[in-house]
Amino acid sequence: MKNPEEIFELLKKEFPEAILGIDKEAPTEPIILIDPPQIKTISLFLRDNPELRFDSLMVLSGVDDANGTKVKDEDGTDVISGGTLSVYYHLHSVYLKHKITLKVSTPRGNPQVESVYNVWRTSDWHEREAFDMYGIIFLNHPDLRRILMPYDWNAGYPLRKDYKNPEFYQGMKVPY
Amino acid sequence: MGLLDKEFSDGNVVIAKVDDLFNWARLSSVWQLGFGLACCAIEMMATSASHYDFDRFGVIPRNTPRQADAIIISGTVTLKMATRIKRLYEQIPDPKYIISMGSCANCGGPYWEHGYHVLKGIDRVIPVDVYVPGCPPRPEALLEGLLKLQEKIRNESLRKKTV
Amino acid sequence: MALKTETMILNMGPQHPSTHGVLRLELELDGELIVNVKPHIGYLHRCFEKHAEAMSYPQVIPYTDRMDYLASMYNNFGYVIAVEKLLGIQVPERVEYIRVIMGELQRIASHLVAIGTNGLDIGAFTPFLYLFRDREKILSLFEMTCGARLLYNYMWVGGLSHDIHPDFVRLTKEFINYFRPTITELNNLLTFNKIFIERTANIGVLPLDTAINYGVTGPSLRGSGLAFDIRKEDTYSIYDRFDFEIPVGQGLVGTVGDSWDRYYVRILEMEQSLRIIEQAIDQIPDGDVKAAIPKRIKPPKGTVYTRVENPRGELGYFIISDGNLNPFRVKVRAPSFVNLEVFGELCKGHLVADVIAILGSIDIVLGEVDR
């Protein structure tokens, strides 16, 4: 069993460029920041290293950081431009009983993260959900479709902070 | 019913209005489509199970719309589901009845404001006969809704269109 | 000469009596054998996470009720623990005890539905009626406490909405005495019934390494033989004070990890829940259940991920606070959502009729899958 700082040191030694830092301000549990294209390599390392053995991905969550600038678009509503979207990975080792949180941030205009589908199969639907809700593209995901919203939903990504609901969907009025 | 008892004691000829006879038959065996949506479906299951016993009012779940008389819309209707419910409704033969169970099916319930994927009321898609309020309605409330539906059926006439 | 054949697509759901709600399965069949299963979900997507961002922290609690509507108490439990951790507050002992008792009663109620519908799906109607009879008894205990039968909004951040009724302790003890023999009755009626065993033993075997890689938790993982329970593993509230065991699947009538094992783990778990309630019910200390409820809930900036052992598995809440009255982001790790992913894997090579037996044994609630 290792604590997050030890895991961070181990990763830092192994991948000096891909590990961007650690955020350990209370009440937050420590979060290791990672370069988006490297996430798969690091995940494989975390899973297969005999000292770490992170064999289970508890949850993968997309987050809209809403740290861009607010601009008005042509019909007068606020749209966020710039900034980042993030993905959090909460990992857990069933046998060694330690936990760690990883975070990648990717630009809002072109959000792309390497998929961890081949590392933990749990991530399949979680990545589809993050795509559905935030429009984050997971590279090399075999089946990246919408999962919760209808397949023909074309009004954007609902959990983004600047999402606008459409007036109608297939002839049904959407707002109250 | 109180309609047939006298006639039976005098002989074996039944005299009744066709309307009354049809309505009596219809209201005593409202077969519902065996179909649950959300939390209210659990209360609907509880209503059909041992304590409340929907069966004593002639309500039996039928699993195909083509043999059903009524749908109980038990729960939140999402936009993705609404088109399917419409199709199920269209597959039920006339006369057909809809009980809208719970706030979500009535008007969107707690999801009315921010529910970007929730249909705010099933009556935007199909016509509703009885609304049962509650989140979720107690089984007693659903039974009351059924009694109201029976009352409605009792007053129907073959001369008018039902829907 | 081999005959040229092709597979057939069969659609199952979203309106189907055995899909436990509005799940749609796209089955690819070779004759009656299943080649592939594609679940389509989202027919009950009620935008929980959007609502959580628009509501203040206490206002989110009723929405957590409506996610897993068979285990509302436990959903409250997980959420309030997460917010309390973010706030850094301690709740009174009395509250902890009542929460554990309610949580375990809820676990029994939820397993009763899971077992009942599992039997119902494969043709056993009577156990369903028996189990709903018993479930009503638990619901009346809840109703007595907080006035609701199904969706309680009972656990609040720092406390409870109501104290327990003066009769609650007595009636709960009566319930325990009543319920123990009915488990035996259930075993005679359904568990060791020849037909039931034929339908579930060796069906849908889930090997342990697959289960871990897919992130399966709860009775489905324990059915595969790993004693993994968050109540012991990553203990929360006061679960470390109670003596209980973690039942695992042993392959009594078939292979370890088959549908019957997952089913039987639930039966054994109900027994353990009774044990926990028995230990807790006599120790409830006096006190005020509303004393620690903060007037204004405004957690500091930060993130928190907590997990609890819901009747279906690991229920996690990931909350990001930006220091305002509303959460910035709430992500729910719903056990059913994750457990359903492995479903396609389990069905391969089985018959169409086995699909519902397997689905019943992993026990999903669509409200939680779609949130």
Side-chain angles (χ1 to χ4, degrees):
Chain A
M1 188 163 174
K2 285 183 180 302
N3 65 26
E5 281 82 11
E6 288 167 356
I7 295 168
F8 173 69
E9 290 308 323
L10 197 71
L11 282 177
K12 189 83 194 164
K13 213 167 70 196
E14 203 74 26
F15 306 96
E17 296 98 56
I19 307 293
L20 305 176
I22 183 166
D23 176 7
K24 47 181 175 182
E25 272 171 56
T28 311
E29 65 252 45
I31 296 173
I32 298 178
L33 308 173
I34 289 175
D35 194 23
Q38 300 290 328
I39 182 73
K40 193 182 166 191
T41 330
I42 289 168
S43 299
L44 272 174
F45 175 77
L46 286 170
R47 188 190 69 178
D48 294 337
N49 187 307
E51 284 180 58
L52 299 173
R53 285 185 80 182
F54 281 106
D55 40 22
S56 152
L57 173 70
M58 288 190 289
V59 61
L60 182 154
S61 4
V63 174
D64 181 358
D65 296 320
N67 51 3
T69 45
K70 275 193 183 155
V71 289
K72 296 252 186 251
D73 73 351
E74 56 269 23
D75 55 346
T77 44
D78 281 339
V79 177
I80 300 172
S81 127
T84 53
L85 299 173
S86 297
V87 182
Y88 287 77
Y89 302 78
H90 289 81
L91 309 180
H92 169 241
S93 167
V94 171
Y95 296 105
L96 301 178
K97 304 185 192 308
H98 48 216
K99 290 188 283 188
I100 187 72
T101 310
L102 311 179
K103 176 187 175 184
V104 301
S105 288
T106 167
R108 193 188 183 87
N110 181 23
Q112 287 188 339
V113 180
E114 190 69 30
S115 166
V116 293
Y117 178 89
N118 288 326
V119 187
W120 301 288
R121 283 296 302 274
T122 333
S123 63
D124 179 2
W125 284 13
H126 279 118
E127 284 178 354
R128 276 177 69 189
E129 194 192 325
F131 166 72
D132 193 358
M133 295 292 144
Y134 292 97
I136 299 169
I137 311 283
F138 289 90
L139 300 169
N140 301 324
H141 188 288
D143 186 23
L144 199 64
R145 289 174 293 148
R146 284 194 181 269
I147 182 165
L148 297 176
M149 302 298 284
Y151 297 122
D152 60 350
W153 189 262
N154 50 18
Y157 303 106
L159 279 183
R160 287 199 183 186
K161 296 277 180 186
D162 57 352
Y163 170 74
K164 278 196 309 271
N165 219 10
E167 201 62 29
F168 286 95
Y169 167 71
Q170 290 201 358
M172 291 175 285
K173 196 176 161 221
V174 180
Y176 183 71
Chain B
M1 264 317 269
L3 245 178
L4 304 171
D5 41 4
K6 273 231 178 56
E7 281 85 344
F8 262 124
S9 64
D10 297 340
N12 53 4
V13 178
V14 175
I15 299 169
K17 284 199 286 183
V18 178
D19 269 359
D20 288 343
L21 193 65
F22 270 60
N23 289 345
W24 171 71
R26 275 175 188 166
L27 70 88
S28 319
S29 65
V30 181
W31 287 2
Q32 59 139 325
L33 182 61
F35 162 58
L37 280 171
C39 337
C40 290
I42 306 297
E43 285 298 69
M44 191 178 78
M45 272 159 73
T47 317
S48 12
S50 18
H51 261 232
Y52 297 96
D53 194 11
F54 231 176
D55 215 350
R56 65 196 154 132
F57 298 101
V59 179
I60 306 173
R62 295 301 299 184
N63 293 329
T64 158
R66 301 192 195 280
Q67 296 169 357
D69 303 307
I71 317 183
I72 299 177
I73 304 291
S74 53
T76 316
V77 184
T78 60
L79 296 176
K80 203 171 176 178
M81 195 64 203
T83 46
R84 275 77 170 174
I85 290 182
K86 184 136 202 276
R87 177 171 297 182
L88 287 171
Y89 172 78
E90 282 160 358
Q91 285 176 347
I92 297 179
D94 269 335
K96 48 193 166 189
Y97 306 98
I98 315 290
I99 296 178
S100 161
M101 181 186 181
S103 299
C104 290
N106 293 347
C107 64
Y111 304 98
W112 71 275
E113 194 180 0
H114 305 288
Y116 52 83
H117 188 230
V118 175
L119 186 73
K120 279 78 177 183
I122 185 64
D123 49 8
R124 291 186 180 182
V125 182
I126 55 175
V128 175
D129 292 285
V130 178
Y131 295 90
V132 182
C135 188
R138 298 179 56 86
E140 291 93 332
L142 182 58
L143 292 176
E144 173 70 17
L146 179 77
L147 294 180
K148 285 270 180 261
L149 180 66
Q150 292 191 332
E151 215 169 276
K152 182 172 179 174
I153 300 173
R154 187 172 290 136
N155 294 324
E156 271 176 358
S157 169
L158 289 176
R159 280 171 295 176
K160 288 204 296 261
K161 271 227 160 262
T162 52
V163 178
Chain C
M1 195 182 85
L3 210 61
K4 190 168 172 284
T5 58
E6 56 184 31
T7 57
M8 177 187 127
I9 301 287
L10 181 71
N11 183 54
M12 189 171 161
Q15 181 262 330
H16 187 279
S18 300
T19 50
H20 295 225
V22 282
L23 169 69
R24 183 176 149 225
L25 300 169
E26 196 184 312
L27 309 174
E28 194 184 338
L29 302 176
D30 175 15
E32 217 189 330
L33 289 176
I34 290 159
V35 180
N36 204 355
V37 180
K38 265 196 204 161
H40 295 264
I41 61 173
Y43 292 95
L44 193 53
H45 176 48
R46 299 192 278 193
C47 333
F48 168 76
E49 285 159 18
K50 193 81 175 177
H51 282 86
E53 289 170 17
M55 303 284 162
S56 69
Y57 282 90
Q59 281 177 320
V60 178
I61 299 174
Y63 290 95
T64 65
D65 275 335
R66 283 157 183 77
M67 269 188 324
D68 181 352
Y69 35 77
L70 284 175
S72 300
M73 282 285 184
Y74 236 98
N75 285 16
N76 290 176
F77 204 170
Y79 177 76
V80 295
I81 284 185
V83 179
E84 280 158 9
K85 197 170 166 193
L86 207 52
L87 284 165
I89 55 173
Q90 275 287 323
V91 296
E93 287 272 289
R94 184 179 175 81
V95 174
E96 296 275 27
Y97 274 96
I98 297 174
R99 279 183 184 175
V100 167
I101 293 168
M102 291 299 173
E104 294 307 311
L105 282 173
Q106 181 74 85
R107 187 183 310 277
I108 297 173
S110 168
H111 282 351
L112 287 176
V113 178
I115 293 164
T117 49
N118 192 358
L120 180 68
D121 289 349
I122 47 187
F125 195 70
T126 319
F128 169 77
L129 295 174
Y130 278 35
L131 295 174
F132 262 71
R133 175 198 65 192
D134 299 341
R135 181 172 172 265
E136 287 292 335
K137 293 195 192 312
I138 300 180
L139 295 191
S140 63
L141 286 174
F142 288 153
E143 196 180 346
M144 193 171 87
T145 313
C146 64
R149 277 167 53 86
L150 192 68
L151 309 171
Y152 312 106
N153 184 16
Y154 181 57
M155 295 179 196
W156 286 1
V157 177
L160 305 165
S161 70
H162 300 77
D163 205 345
I164 50 172
H165 191 272
D167 280 346
F168 179 82
V169 174
R170 180 178 60 82
L171 289 171
T172 308
K173 282 179 181 165
E174 267 173 30
F175 169 75
I176 295 171
N177 289 336
Y178 162 80
F179 189 64
R180 275 245 160 79
T182 61
I183 297 181
T184 323
E185 185 188 48
L186 176 64
N187 281 341
N188 293 333
L189 193 61
L190 184 65
T191 313
F192 296 105
N193 180 309
K194 180 95 169 63
I195 303 170
F196 185 74
I197 291 177
E198 292 284 320
R199 287 295 305 273
T200 52
N202 295 321
I203 300 293
V205 178
L206 175 62
L208 185 57
D209 51 342
T210 314
I212 292 173
N213 197 18
Y214 271 89
V216 176
T217 47
S220 308
L221 176 63
R222 292 193 281 276
S224 298
L226 181 72
F228 181 84
D229 188 318
I230 296 169
R231 287 176 292 174
K232 288 237 192 233
E233 201 75 22
D234 196 359
T235 189
Y236 54 94
S237 190
I238 50 165
Y239 273 106
D240 48 350
R241 296 184 197 173
F242 304 115
D243 174 34
F244 64 100
E245 283 152 27
I246 308 174
V248 292
Q250 294 157 331
L252 277 188
V253 296
T255 328
V256 175
D258 59 9
S259 296
W260 191 87
D261 266 355
R262 287 192 285 276
Y263 161 89
Y264 193 54
V265 163
R266 291 199 178 88
I267 301 259
L268 298 175
E269 260 179 32
M270 292 201 294
E271 204 122 14
Q272 299 302 323
S273 294
L274 286 180
R275 271 180 70 188
I276 297 176
I277 299 167
E278 245 172 4
Q279 292 167 46
I281 196 89
D282 284 325
Q283 299 176 28
I284 305 177
D286 289 333
D288 187 356
V289 295
K290 289 187 178 175
I293 296 177
K295 289 269 176 314
R296 202 153 156 269
I297 295 173
K298 201 173 173 187
K301 245 182 167 166
T303 67
V304 68
Y305 178 76
T306 55
R307 45 189 194 153
V308 293
E309 183 74 26
N310 172 287
R312 265 154 278 279
E314 174 186 329
L315 173 72
Y317 282 91
F318 176 50
I319 302 180
I320 301 183
S321 156
D322 59 349
N324 280 325
L325 288 172
N326 298 356
F328 183 75
R329 168 92 168 103
V330 178
K331 160 90 186 179
V332 182
R333 190 254 194 230
S336 305
F337 179 77
V338 180
N339 291 357
L340 186 59
E341 276 189 81
V342 81
F343 177 64
E345 211 59 29
L346 294 181
C347 287
K348 276 178 194 161
H350 286 298
L351 301 175
V352 177
D354 295 332
V355 171
I356 52 170
I358 297 170
L359 190 65
S361 77
I362 55 174
D363 182 27
I364 52 162
V365 170
L366 264 298
E368 193 183 49
V369 174
D370 299 339
R371 280 154 289 141

